[in-house]
Amino acid sequence: MKVSYVTSFADLGLAETILRALADEGYTTPTPIQAQSIPLLLQGKDLLGIAQTGTGKTAAFALPILQGFLKDRRPAEPRHARALVMAPTRELAVQIADSFKAYGRTMGVSVACVVGGMSFGPQIKALARGVDVLVATPGRLLDHMQ
């Protein structure tokens, strides 16, 4: 699908608070996957995006999720997550969680990362409180559900 030429994240219609976080991270121009996917996701459409490593796929889906949180400011309910992101490996899950924390820093977004090799205690506490974004590997999420 072709999208009109985008030269900045502001062209995508993202909120000022998100734009500030992106500027703090040094991001100025969306990558092709971001320019093509963010407008569709902001419209509430489903998307399957494929791009090579390092092309900005995490921001492509994370920024619309955060924008949605700005429109619906309800806090996460205890024992619930407002968004769930599944990752196949612990390393990728941690990277995705760190990205959500960076992009949502000015919004006060709560992010929990539930992966193996880390203590259950802090994960259980975070899940009990409720989180805006839960990033998990399948195995550890199943452990918590059981």
Side-chain angles (χ1 to χ4, degrees), residues 9 18 22 55 61 66 69 92 102 111 114:
F9 283 100
I18 295 172
L22 291 171
T55 57
F61 69 81
L66 294 172
F69 289 168
L92 183 56
V111 180
V114 171

Side-chain angles (χ1 to χ4, degrees), residues 65-120:
I65 289 171
L66 294 172
Q67 181 96 354
F69 289 168
L70 289 171
K71 290 181 180 179
D72 179 1
R73 295 189 179 262
R74 287 179 292 167
E77 296 179 26
R79 299 178 45 114
H80 288 83
R82 295 177 69 196
L84 171 64
V85 178
M86 299 293 294
T89 66
R90 173 177 48 183
E91 294 77 14
L92 183 56
V94 169
Q95 179 184 344
I96 292 168
D98 288 345
S99 293
F100 267 100
K101 289 174 187 173
Y103 307 147
R105 171 179 40 247
T106 60
M107 298 171 50
V109 172
S110 60
V111 180
C113 189
V114 171
V115 297
M118 295 183 176
S119 173
F120 264 95

